[in-house]
Amino acid sequence: MQIVSRTRDLGLAALLAILAAPVSAQATQASRTASLLTELIRANTSNPPGNERRIAEILAPKFKALGFDVQIVQTPDSGKAHFIARLKGDGSKRPVLLAAHADVVGVEREKWTLDPFAGEMKGDHVFGRGAIDFKGGMAVFARAVMMLAENHVPLARDVIFVAEADEEGGTYNTSWLAREHWADMDAEFALNEGGWIMTHDDGRVRYVSISTADKSSIALTLTARGTSTHSSMPRPDNAIFALSRAMAKLSAYETPLIVTPETKQFFTALAKTSTPPMSGYYRDLVGADAAKARKADSVVGRDPLLHALVRNTIAPVIIQGGFRNNVIPGSATATVNLRMIPGSDPAAFVEELRRVVADSTIELKLPATLNRPSAPSSQETELYRALVREAHTEFPSAEITPYLFQAGTDAGAWRSRGVPVYGIYPYPIDADELTRMHGNDEKVSVKALEQGTAMIYRTLISVAGKK
Ligand SMILES: [Zn+2]
């Protein structure tokens, strides 16, 4: 039984008694989400190599015992498997799906103050790699789905839970799964990771952002060519100098402001929960006055995340050229990671960069297969509306807003097939906790996990429960 779902039936005195109980006792008695999370963290699924099959093996018996149809989908890599569990509805509506990646990024173990794979509970937090990204979310999604079965909620649609491999990199991700097993993961709409439930410093929830689109990632290569010769007789056509000039021009170039309807809503929500002068800058950034928007951009853009939300970005990531001291190489190559806003055309963006480089001897080349950004998912679906409603119920003081996720997720497998996906890290976190994601001493609070579980559970009842 979840503490939060029970609080409505409890008297105030009983509720206060629970809140006053030592947190560790509260956690062990009440938080099945936190205890599932500790179990998931203990299976080290740092990718590479991933070994996501271990997560499938932890989850399979738990879901099976509750009457789910359970599948472990083996990939050609023996350590990697996807997990799919389906709770049957009466079929009158199409399924709702919840997806969570089972892999995590690796750790710099010496920088952690505790074992990243022990799933330690300290104070009112669960610590460990994946606590936020995304084993915490997996625990919340899994518990919310399991509660439907435990509480025998009559369902109008199937509820599908997917724990997936290779989200943090690799071949056998959800795109592979969708090619091989689409029938098992087809749905009317889905939840995934993405937006944030951000708190103020005092712990109150400031805003809930639900991502309706992800930026797409493209590897552009720039190649400069020159005469390969002895380094004692340099020539003007030096490939490394030419590439360096091109890179210097790119580094000085700021891509234009692009405001989508979702980012406009996001910055408007941010403005409402901020104080001057920042609230004014957030409003100006997405307002009609271009001069004010530019000025606001120069201030707001100091935050790298907010800077990335309103433009296509350019980040050099690999540079190669030369192999020994006495040889001038015949070529030098840079890989530049481009992150694009939905609706942007990769070819047009490359043309823009070609004009900036302004050197016809430099070759700019896109990869043969392109990750085109999927269109944003609609805000007019039953799932989006239910999630907004339940976020309001759980966090009454918060602004709720759609969001363009600054990075990529596995949502593309669904969005590119027309299935709307809504992204959320389903627990309140503060700026410090956000920094620890992919960093050190990653943690999430037990209370936050409980609030998230309650919110997602009620969302599912609203969307999948028989009326
Ligand atoms: Zn993630």
Side-chain angles (χ1 to χ4, degrees):
M1 262 286 157
Q2 297 288 321
I3 194 171
V4 182
S5 58
R6 277 172 52 206
T7 49
R8 285 176 174 174
D9 311 325
L10 294 171
L12 183 61
L15 178 60
L16 290 176
I18 288 173
L19 293 177
V23 169
S24 57
Q26 233 187 77
T28 47
Q29 284 165 21
S31 183
R32 295 179 67 180
T33 305
S35 79
L36 176 59
L37 173 56
T38 60
E39 211 179 325
L40 296 171
I41 288 172
R42 282 182 204 131
N44 181 347
T45 52
S46 301
N47 191 9
N51 289 320
E52 296 92 336
R53 197 182 163 90
R54 299 179 62 187
I55 295 295
E57 282 162 1
I58 289 170
L59 295 175
K62 298 184 197 297
F63 279 89
K64 222 178 247 173
L66 289 167
F68 285 75
D69 290 344
V70 165
Q71 250 193 97
I72 294 180
V73 179
Q74 184 57 54
T75 74
D77 178 330
S78 62
K80 289 188 184 295
H82 297 269
F83 173 77
I84 305 177
R86 181 182 293 255
L87 189 61
K88 284 282 195 190
D90 69 10
S92 57
K93 292 180 176 176
R94 296 183 57 221
V96 57
L97 182 142
L98 297 90
H101 63 86
D103 57 337
V104 293
V105 292
V107 295
E108 295 176 278
R109 201 177 269 261
E110 67 284 357
K111 293 191 179 147
W112 284 62
T113 61
L114 30 69
D115 181 349
F117 301 104
E120 266 182 71
M121 207 134 33
K122 226 171 94 180
D124 60 348
H125 284 82
V126 179
F127 284 79
R129 174 55 87 225
I132 290 178
D133 184 19
F134 188 65
K135 285 180 174 169
M138 175 179 289
V140 166
F141 286 175
R143 278 302 309 152
V145 168
M146 287 175 182
M147 282 164 65
L148 294 173
E150 287 163 1
N151 298 334
H152 307 287
V153 176
L155 297 175
R157 54 173 105 233
D158 293 2
V159 179
I160 307 170
F161 171 87
V162 178
E164 68 215 29
D166 269 356
E167 195 271 348
E168 301 284 10
T171 312
Y172 301 112
N173 55 17
T174 50
S175 299
W176 177 88
L177 187 65
R179 283 196 301 272
E180 304 284 323
H181 291 268
W182 179 247
D184 299 322
M185 56 194 277
D186 189 8
E188 183 171 342
F189 31 50
L191 292 177
N192 188 24
E193 67 184 357
W196 308 104
I197 305 175
M198 289 304 298
T199 62
H200 289 284
D201 290 343
D202 64 8
R204 274 177 313 126
V205 173
R206 181 178 172 198
Y207 65 82
V208 178
S209 60
I210 302 166
S211 62
T212 53
D214 296 346
K215 286 178 93 174
S216 60
S217 169
I218 296 174
L220 173 75
T221 53
L222 279 79
T223 304
R225 292 195 173 79
T227 307
S228 174
T229 184
H230 199 286
S231 56
S232 62
M233 294 169 290
R235 298 173 184 224
D237 68 344
N238 182 296
I240 291 179
F241 275 152
L243 183 65
S244 303
R245 282 191 296 271
M247 298 304 286
K249 286 179 191 161
L250 287 183
S251 93
Y253 177 62
E254 179 71 298
T255 52
L257 195 63
I258 302 175
V259 178
T260 66
E262 293 75 27
T263 40
K264 185 165 183 164
Q265 285 171 279
F266 174 72
F267 280 100
T268 306
L270 211 53
K272 282 187 196 156
T273 60
S274 308
T275 49
M278 288 315 291
S279 51
Y281 288 130
Y282 294 143
R283 256 180 221 109
D284 287 348
L285 182 70
V286 296
D289 185 325
K292 278 187 176 173
R294 270 196 303 278
K295 163 80 175 119
D297 187 24
S298 70
V299 179
V300 174
R302 287 175 202 151
D303 179 316
L305 166 62
L306 301 182
H307 175 261
L309 289 183
V310 288
R311 54 175 38 81
N312 297 328
T313 57
I314 308 166
V317 286
I318 303 169
I319 193 151
Q320 291 164 305
F323 52 97
R324 56 182 294 154
N325 189 40
N326 57 0
V327 176
I328 295 175
S331 68
T333 299
T335 306
V336 178
N337 181 253
L338 308 179
R339 299 279 173 150
M340 299 188 48
I341 285 183
S344 304
D345 173 16
F349 189 26
V350 172
E351 273 318 302
E352 180 185 329
L353 299 183
R354 215 186 289 279
R355 281 194 298 277
V356 172
V357 168
D359 179 346
S360 59
T361 70
I362 307 272
E363 185 194 6
L364 281 77
K365 202 171 158 196
L366 283 170
T369 50
L370 277 186
N371 260 335
R372 283 186 182 274
S374 302
S377 298
S378 165
Q379 294 171 41
E380 301 302 326
T381 65
E382 220 182 317
L383 179 57
Y384 185 82
R385 282 195 292 256
L387 187 55
V388 168
R389 203 166 49 239
E390 296 307 334
H392 267 303
T393 306
E394 196 66 41
F395 311 109
S397 65
E399 288 290 321
I400 320 281
T401 170
Y403 181 61
L404 166 67
F405 193 54
Q406 76 282 357
T409 70
D410 269 358
W414 287 275
R415 283 205 190 107
S416 65
R417 288 168 173 80
V419 177
V421 181
Y422 305 103
I424 190 156
Y425 288 84
Y427 15 74
I429 59 167
D430 59 26
D432 168 59
E433 285 161 343
L434 181 56
T435 309
R436 296 162 186 257
M437 172 178 152
H438 284 213
N440 309 314
D441 288 353
E442 188 176 345
K443 68 181 170 95
V444 64
S445 88
V446 173
K447 182 178 169 219
L449 289 166
E450 284 304 304
Q451 289 176 308
T453 308
M455 178 182 75
I456 299 297
Y457 177 60
R458 288 195 313 266
T459 301
L460 291 176
I461 289 185
S462 163
V463 167
K466 271 197 203 178
K467 301 289 184 302

